[in-house]
């Protein structure tokens, strides 16, 4: 049975409007979820600012939590019940391309080509008062976790993936560059992996927050030379792991230079526009440094992030900047694109 829903859709340049839509019927294995919280990630902000070209109107929103409202046929009702509180995984992978088949679903060739259901708009689709998803994309949350916290499962899953790429060992020196929401999540996870965590951040408030969340050391890259500083606190070696969470081109050669022998440099942030940097083959030969990156979480990362939040191992309350009601989605987008803002969340 189809129902009337509302979406907060991007309809033009820096324009978000509430539109009415009609859902398709639920298919076997699907659930209808009443959305209670959606966070505005960088992807939504880029669509709003016209930097990511999508056919408009477009429904953004891939950081979502809510409550199960109804089921299609064939759902395992021993596992699921109407009223279950859930985090929702909305990013798409096709399951049948080379990367999906080899376990790299985060690199699915069709990740940006999520099929659009009849009656709904293109886009990740979370900025609606109801969403339709396979129950395989639902992750139960406990009553101790608010919906606002639970919608931050997806960004945490991105960082779970990144930290997994670094293979951090007990006692290693880990540098996190940038103390935004993603930098703070890296600090928390690296600390729990048993590392000594060093944050590079210019803003004193973010530096203080990182100390509260587990950073052992913070420095201001405007006040000290970042490479010299990291070498000075690692007996001249450089760090075992460096995460660059910033999109600042000049930081990349510094991040490589502060990575020690047998170290791993993870380019976490995307770079728009891209900014190629020279790399010394002799350095790679002589140090076995690993230069890599991290893009999007896979299903396992999401599962881990759900467990970290649900069990209270990670507390994400300080990642929330502001919340806005659904009707004020335009204001929420405008607040979200202010540089330096932590997550802005739209609630029902
Ligand atoms: Zn996201
Ligand atoms: Zn695929």
């Amino acid at each position: 049975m189809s129902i009337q829903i509302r979406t907060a859709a991007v309809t033009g340049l820096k324009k978000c409007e509430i539109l009415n839509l009609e859902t398709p019927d639920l298919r076997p294995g699907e659930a209808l979820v009443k959305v209670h919280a959606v966070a505005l990630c960088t992807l939504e902000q880029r669509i709003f600012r016209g930097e990511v070209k999508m056919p408009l109107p477009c429904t953004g929103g891939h950081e979502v939590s809510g409550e199960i409202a109804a089921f299609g046929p064939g759902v395992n009702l021993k596992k699921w019940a109407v009223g279950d509180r859930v985090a929702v995984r909305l990013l798409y992978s096709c399951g049948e391309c080379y990367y999906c088949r080899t376990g790299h679903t985060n690199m699915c060739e069709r990740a940006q080509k999520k099929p659009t259901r009849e009656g709904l708009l293109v886009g990740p689709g979370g900025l609606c008062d109801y969403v339709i998803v396979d129950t395989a994309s639902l992750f139960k949350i406990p009553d101790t976790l608010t919906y606002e916290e639970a919608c931050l499962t997806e960004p945490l899953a991105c960082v779970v993936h990144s930290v997994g790429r670094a293979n951090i060992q007990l006692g290693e020196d880990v540098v996190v560059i940038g103390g935004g929401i993603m930098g703070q999540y890296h600090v928390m996870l690296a600390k729990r992996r048993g590392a000594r965590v060093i944050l590079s951040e210019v803003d004193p408030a973010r530096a203080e927050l990182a100390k509260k969340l587990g950073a052992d050391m913070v420095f201001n890259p405007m006040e000290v030379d970042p490479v010299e500083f990291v070498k000075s606190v690692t007996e001249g070696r450089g760090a075992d792991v460096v995460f660059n969470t910033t999109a600042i081109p000049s930081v990349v050669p510094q991040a490589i230079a502060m990575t020690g022998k047998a170290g791993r440099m993870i380019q976490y942030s995307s770079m728009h526009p891209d900014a190629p940097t020279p790399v010394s083959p002799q350095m790679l030969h002589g140090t076995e440094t690993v230069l890599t990156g991290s893009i999007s979480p896979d299903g396992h990362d999401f599962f881990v992030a759900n467990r970290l939040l649900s069990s209270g191992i990670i507390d994400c309350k300080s990642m929330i900047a502001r919340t806005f009601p659904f009707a004020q989605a335009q204001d929420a987008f405008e607040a979200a694109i202010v540089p330096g803002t932590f997550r802005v969340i739209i609630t029902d």
Side-chain angles (χ1 to χ4, degrees):
M1 189 190 73
S2 73
I3 61 161
Q4 296 281 334
I5 63 165
R6 297 172 307 158
T7 179
V10 173
T11 55
L13 187 62
K14 293 192 180 175
K15 196 155 178 237
C16 174
E17 290 176 273
I18 308 292
L19 305 177
N20 294 311
L21 304 173
E22 195 164 322
T23 64
D25 292 338
L26 293 175
R27 296 194 288 222
E30 286 184 333
L32 180 72
V33 175
K34 170 76 184 88
V35 175
H36 286 300
V38 187
L40 299 179
C41 185
T42 325
L43 172 64
E44 283 71 38
Q45 296 168 33
R46 290 207 179 104
I47 295 171
F48 183 70
R49 281 195 300 243
E51 293 166 11
V52 170
K53 298 285 171 229
M54 295 282 280
L56 301 180
C58 152
T59 301
H62 63 276
E63 301 180 357
V64 172
S65 64
E67 181 185 353
I68 297 176
F71 294 112
V75 167
N76 178 1
L77 297 178
K78 288 203 176 82
K79 181 172 172 73
W80 301 104
V82 167
D84 279 350
R85 304 170 77 248
V86 288
V88 186
R89 180 164 185 253
L90 277 185
L91 289 185
Y92 175 71
S93 52
C94 74
E96 57 190 36
C97 72
Y98 179 85
Y99 301 101
C100 285
R101 296 284 197 206
T102 53
H104 303 287
T105 55
N106 60 319
M107 282 182 277
C108 173
E109 288 173 350
R110 300 190 60 79
Q112 308 301 328
K113 300 195 170 66
K114 182 177 184 170
T116 305
R117 295 287 292 278
E118 60 277 28
L120 303 181
L121 301 178
V122 293
L127 277 167
C128 291
D129 46 11
Y130 288 86
V131 292
I132 293 173
V133 282
D134 285 335
T135 52
S137 301
L138 299 178
F139 297 77
K140 279 187 203 178
I141 58 167
D143 291 340
T144 47
L145 203 66
T146 66
Y147 287 118
E148 288 84 350
E149 293 169 84
C151 75
L152 299 184
T153 307
E154 195 272 345
L156 178 59
C158 291
V159 181
V160 167
H161 189 78
S162 177
V163 168
R165 304 279 302 144
N167 191 24
I168 299 169
Q169 303 297 308
L170 293 170
E172 285 193 325
D173 291 320
V174 171
V175 173
V176 177
I177 303 174
I181 174 170
M182 292 303 175
Q184 303 286 349
Y185 264 156
H186 274 89
V187 166
M188 287 191 265
L189 291 188
K191 187 67 185 169
R192 278 159 184 80
R193 277 278 178 114
R196 179 171 69 142
V197 182
I198 304 162
L199 177 79
S200 170
E201 170 57 47
V202 292
D203 179 65
R206 289 176 168 205
E208 275 314 305
L209 175 63
K211 279 192 207 162
K212 269 198 347 213
L213 298 178
D216 296 280
M217 205 179 272
V218 296
F219 68 93
N220 182 338
M222 304 296 273
E223 290 173 358
V224 295
D225 180 282
V227 177
E228 290 308 311
F229 179 84
V230 170
K231 291 202 165 170
S232 74
V233 297
T234 55
E235 299 164 312
R237 287 190 307 272
D240 299 297
V241 172
V242 177
F243 294 103
N244 181 19
T245 73
T246 77
I248 306 165
S250 63
V251 167
V252 178
Q254 293 175 348
I256 297 170
M258 70 176 71
T259 306
K261 283 187 184 181
R264 289 81 72 199
M265 197 292 265
I266 291 91
Q267 178 59 35
Y268 176 79
S269 175
S270 59
M271 201 58 90
H272 302 279
D274 196 11
T277 190
V279 172
S280 155
Q282 183 59 23
M283 178 279 286
L284 290 178
H285 168 74
T287 62
E288 299 191 0
T289 296
V290 176
L291 304 178
T292 185
S294 180
I295 179 169
S296 303
D298 59 31
H300 181 234
D301 300 318
F302 202 99
F303 175 74
V304 170
N306 171 247
R307 289 178 65 97
L308 290 170
L309 290 176
S310 295
S311 61
I313 295 172
I314 294 292
D315 181 339
C316 67
K317 288 188 198 71
S318 44
M319 304 300 128
I320 302 169
R322 294 177 71 181
T323 59
F324 288 84
F326 194 83
Q328 291 172 28
Q330 171 77 29
D331 298 336
F333 268 101
E334 285 171 12
I337 62 173
V338 174
T341 308
F342 278 19
R343 275 296 187 275
V344 168
I345 295 174
I346 294 177
T347 58
D348 54 346

